[in-house]
Every structure is written in C-alpha cells, then in structure tokens.
Amino acid sequence: MLDDNRGSAGARPMPPGETDLVSPANCPCRLLLDQISDKWSVLILAALCAQPLRFNQVRRQLEGITQKALTRSLRKLERNGILSRRVIASSPVAVEYAITPLGRTLEEPISALYRWTHTHLPEVEQARAAYDQRMTEEE
C-alpha cells in the first residue's frame, strides 16, 4: 500500500516518494480515508460484511450510535459506493443496507486491523500505563 506508484484505474499516479498516508491536505485520498476509517464506518462495514441489514438492525448491533450518526455514516458510505440502500415496500416502509462489491474490497483490510487490535492490545495497555505513570510523575 505504501509507496505504490502503480496507481489504479481512474486514480492519479502518486509522485515518487509520496505515500498513501502522508499526502497534501487537499488530496482527495485524505478525505476518502477519513470517511471510510472513522469509528462508525468501520463498525458499520464489519456488520454489513456478514449480511445485508435493515437500519434498525444496524443500530441495534452498534451500541452507542445515535440515529443521527448512523444516518450520516450510512449516507456517506452510500455516496462513496461502498454501501447500497434498498427501500422495501412494506408497512411500515423499511430500508436495507448491503455492502457493494467495492465495499467488499475493504473487508480484508478491516479484518486485518481488527486482528491487529486483538493481537497488540496487551502491548498498547502496557504503553498506556507507562505513559500515565510518566505523566503522574511529572506533575
């Protein structure tokens, strides 16, 4: 992923030495990275990778998300082509969200990130404790 100068269809080639994660403030990739990697988007994608879900099913799976935050995140992911939205003509009307083929390409990176958190959580907790101790001693 880093320093990959091959580019992809429709994307601008990266200048030599530039990485995907360190880019100019006006780089469109930065905005997209922000939109697909925020807390709620990652959790929504993880839920929808298993199966399409209705709005309230997603909301129940994501404890702590507000209706407004869920709506905003779903719209953002739909706009980016990562999710699809289907209105189900029932009484009452329901809306179902599903991951698109483009969104499915995020499944492995998200799974890898999740595995990383499980693998390295003890080290992170140790680093936090050491940091907190240093801050306490400096006060």
Side-chain angles (χ1 to χ4, degrees):
M1 180 173 180
L2 298 178
D3 290 323
D4 183 0
N5 290 312
R6 292 173 297 181
S8 61
R12 67 175 178 87
M14 291 175 44
E18 185 178 323
T19 64
D20 290 333
L21 298 177
V22 181
S23 58
N26 63 349
C27 179
C29 294
R30 247 193 196 186
L31 177 60
L32 180 58
L33 181 61
D34 178 56
Q35 290 180 347
I36 62 175
S37 65
D38 73 68
K39 171 176 72 170
W40 294 124
S41 293
V42 168
L43 294 173
I44 289 167
L45 289 170
L48 292 173
C49 277
Q51 65 185 354
L53 296 170
R54 293 181 179 196
F55 181 90
N56 284 324
Q57 291 174 308
V58 176
R59 189 170 173 200
R60 280 192 295 276
Q61 285 196 15
L62 303 181
E63 278 186 36
I65 192 168
T66 65
Q67 183 170 337
K68 181 179 178 179
L70 178 56
T71 298
R72 188 177 331 134
S73 294
L74 289 167
R75 285 180 181 164
K76 177 177 54 177
L77 292 167
E78 182 185 5
R79 181 173 185 259
N80 286 316
I82 295 167
L83 298 182
S84 64
R85 178 180 183 269
R86 180 173 73 102
V87 176
I88 301 168
S90 60
S91 182
V93 173
V95 177
E96 181 181 76
Y97 293 89
I99 196 157
T100 63
L102 177 61
R104 185 71 60 194
T105 65
L106 290 168
E107 187 172 11
E108 182 52 37
I110 288 171
S111 295
L113 185 59
Y114 183 75
R115 285 190 304 272
W116 185 92
T117 63
H118 274 273
T119 300
H120 296 285
L121 183 59
E123 295 166 75
V124 170
E125 289 173 336
Q126 287 175 352
R128 289 174 181 164
Y131 176 87
D132 293 346
Q133 183 63 39
R134 281 193 315 271
M135 293 299 108
T136 301
E137 293 170 357
E138 289 179 11
E139 292 177 352

